[in-house]
Every structure is written in C-alpha cells, then in structure tokens.
C-alpha cells in the first residue's frame, strides 16, 4: 500500500507541475509568446522539474541510451517514416518554413524527453521495482494515458480520447539481465 501511495504521489506531482507551469505561462509576458514557443518553454520547465523530483526524492538512475532495434521492429513503421521524411524535406526546402520546422522538431524532442523521463524513467521504474515488469508497465501506461485528460483544456474531446486509447505498455524496454 505504501508503494502505491508513492506512485500516486509521484504521478500527482507530475500532474500538479504540469498544471502550475501551464498557469504560469498564461501570465504576461509569457502569454504573448507563440504557441510553439510556449510549448517548448513549458516542456523545458517540466523536464527540469521531473529531474528535480528525481534528485530530491526518488534517485532513480536515468539512462538515456539507444536500445538496439531489429529490422522486424523497424519494418512496420518504415512507410510512415518515409512519408514523414518526405513531408519534412518539403517543409525544409522553403526558407520560410525552416525556423517553424526546426522549432516544431525541437518541441517534439522536449516533449519526448519530459514524457520518457517522467513516465518511463521515474514512474515505470518505481512501479517495476515494486510490482514487477508487467504490472509496472500496465500501471504506468494507464497513468500516462490518463495524464492526457489534461489536454482537454486546449484540444477536442476526440483528439484526447485518441491519446487515451494509445495504450503502450509493449514499448517499455526491460534489460535482459535485470534492472540497471
């Protein structure tokens, strides 16, 4: 029960941080920034907060490394990657679009870093060390999905429900020789 309380406190801390940073960025002069710049600033602040949570309370070892990907894993997403590369190439050919494209890619990377650090690096590791890989993956994935309910403040219900449905415990990688 104490471990579940720790997991819920961590998740609540992540949610509270997201809410506070969002409110903070609505005050002047931040409310004058473009949506893309605001999102980038928000994700940078949230990543910093997640790292502070870890340093102060959880001390989880965070490993930002590549996991080997086999051709079998890569093959299904190849068409999507080719289309994305083609669209990105077209956008980059226009000098006007270069800064917007670069900013969007930077923000996407910041969002990924925050989500991976918070949910896979901290929350999943805490769940895994308490209940094991499968229950830890399921609980952290459910909490990750539910976190997307915060997006109802700025996007449609349909888009939010699609994010909730993207339940992805199978993407969690676990070392073969035990935890790091």
């Amino acid at each position: 029960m104490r471990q579940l309380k720790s997991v819920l406190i961590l998740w609540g801390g992540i949610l509270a941080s997201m809410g506070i940073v969002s409110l903070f960025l609505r005050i002047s002069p931040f409310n004058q920034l473009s949506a893309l710049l605001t999102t980038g600033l928000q994700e940078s602040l949230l990543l910093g907060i997640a790292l502070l949570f870890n340093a102060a309370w959880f001390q989880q070892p965070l490993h930002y490394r590549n996991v080997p990907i086999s051709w079998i894993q890569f093959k299904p997403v190849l068409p999507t990657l080719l289309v994305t590369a083609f669209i990105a190439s077209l956008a980059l050919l226009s000098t006007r679009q270069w800064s917007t494209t670069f900013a969007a890619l930077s923000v996407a990377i910041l969002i990924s870093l925050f989500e991976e650090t918070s949910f896979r690096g901290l929350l999943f590791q805490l769940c895994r060390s308490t209940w094991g890989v499968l229950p830890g993956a399921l609980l952290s994935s459910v909490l990750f999905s539910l976190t997307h309910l915060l997006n109802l403040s700025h996007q449609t219900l349909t888009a939010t429900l699609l994010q909730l449905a993207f339940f992805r415990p199978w993407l969690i990688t676990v070392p073969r020789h035990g935890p790091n």
Side-chain angles (χ1 to χ4, degrees):
M1 188 63 168
R2 195 176 89 202
Q3 293 85 356
L4 181 59
K5 184 178 178 182
S6 295
V7 167
L8 293 177
I9 287 171
L10 175 58
W11 184 54
I14 292 168
L15 292 177
S17 299
M18 293 171 76
I20 290 168
V21 167
S22 179
L23 289 174
F24 175 72
L25 292 176
R26 290 184 184 176
I27 62 173
S28 188
F30 301 111
N31 62 356
Q32 305 299 316
L33 300 174
S34 71
L36 197 56
L37 190 56
T38 301
T39 303
L41 183 58
Q42 178 178 3
E43 296 302 323
S44 298
L45 290 170
L46 289 171
L47 178 60
I49 290 169
L51 293 173
L52 286 174
F53 272 159
N54 189 43
W57 291 291
F58 297 99
Q59 290 93 30
Q60 293 284 346
L62 298 174
H63 304 283
Y64 296 99
R65 65 175 189 266
N66 290 333
V67 176
I69 297 176
S70 71
W71 173 248
I72 294 170
Q73 293 170 313
F74 183 70
K75 192 176 176 182
V77 297
L78 185 60
T80 303
L81 291 175
L82 290 174
V83 169
T84 303
F86 177 72
I87 292 170
S89 299
L90 290 177
L92 292 175
L93 290 176
S94 168
T95 55
R96 241 177 357 170
Q97 295 296 322
W98 169 247
S99 63
T100 304
T101 304
F102 181 74
L105 288 172
S106 299
V107 168
I109 290 169
L110 285 170
I111 291 169
S112 299
L113 280 173
F114 166 66
E115 288 179 352
E116 292 299 318
T117 300
S118 299
F119 289 94
R120 191 182 301 196
L122 300 177
L123 195 63
F124 169 66
Q125 296 302 329
L126 184 61
C127 292
R128 181 181 82 169
S129 66
T130 302
W131 298 292
V133 175
L134 186 58
L138 291 172
L139 179 58
S140 63
S141 294
V142 166
L143 295 176
F144 176 73
S145 291
L146 291 175
T147 301
H148 287 91
L149 288 173
L150 295 174
N151 292 339
L152 284 171
S153 67
H154 63 274
Q155 71 184 20
T156 66
L157 177 62
T158 304
T160 302
L161 290 175
L162 285 172
Q163 288 177 326
L164 287 170
F166 188 62
F167 185 68
R168 58 182 194 154
W170 53 85
L171 293 179
I172 293 182
T173 58
V174 179
R176 292 182 183 193
H177 304 293
N180 292 330

